[in-house]
Amino acid sequence: QVHLVESGGGLVQPGGSLTLSCVASGFAFKYYAIAWFRQAPGKEREGISCISASDGRAYYAESVEERATFSRDNAKNTVVLQMNDLKPDDTAVYYCAAGSNPVEIWSAPEYEYWGQGTQVTVSL
């Protein structure tokens, strides 16, 4: 059975930092690209970062570029997203997703497996 379990969300002050983790099980993790999406109330799900299976290269959406670092540890079936200088607009539910061969990496349907999400709230 496939599981993706996110952790690390919570309440953060503007300008603060957080670390989101996702632990995977039930599939061949090292062969899958992993992405983080987020969805704010009333908005579409937005892809913000993706890390490839082949070379571990990370890609970032413009909304988080320069503020995020995404890494993976295939030995632990884990990915970690570090985000700095958080803004109220970063408030959303953050989801971890796995795709065997995503072409449009910011498109949610490209990913077969999804976690349940973790809430991130950026506020005073």
Side-chain angles (χ1 to χ4, degrees), residues 4 9 11 14 16 31 90 93 96 100 115 117 121:
L4 289 167
L11 176 63
Y31 297 116
D90 293 317
V93 178
C96 175
S100 56
T121 302

Side-chain angles (χ1 to χ4, degrees), residues 32-116:
Y32 280 70
I34 308 296
W36 285 96
F37 284 76
R38 67 185 183 185
Q39 189 164 19
K43 294 187 178 181
E44 292 187 359
R45 193 165 293 193
E46 173 195 18
I48 60 170
S49 189
C50 176
I51 193 163
S52 72
S54 57
D55 59 7
R57 180 177 176 180
Y59 301 85
Y60 303 95
E62 187 174 339
S63 58
V64 301
E65 199 167 20
E66 307 297 334
R67 301 190 294 126
T69 302
F70 192 14
S71 62
R72 68 187 296 160
D73 184 339
N74 289 338
K76 297 180 179 179
N77 283 11
T78 299
V79 295
V80 174
L81 178 70
Q82 173 77 34
M83 290 187 64
N84 303 312
D85 190 22
L86 287 164
K87 309 173 189 305
D89 283 350
D90 293 317
T91 296
V93 178
Y94 284 68
Y95 298 91
C96 175
S100 56
N101 187 29
V103 176
E104 299 289 336
I105 62 172
W106 305 131
S107 175
E110 296 278 335
Y111 297 86
E112 294 100 298
Y113 306 129
W114 289 82
Q116 293 299 307

Side-chain angles (χ1 to χ4, degrees), residues 10-18 84-88 121-124:
L11 176 63
V12 184
Q13 291 189 349
S17 301
L18 62 74
N84 303 312
D85 190 22
L86 287 164
K87 309 173 189 305
T121 302
V122 183
S123 179
L124 291 171

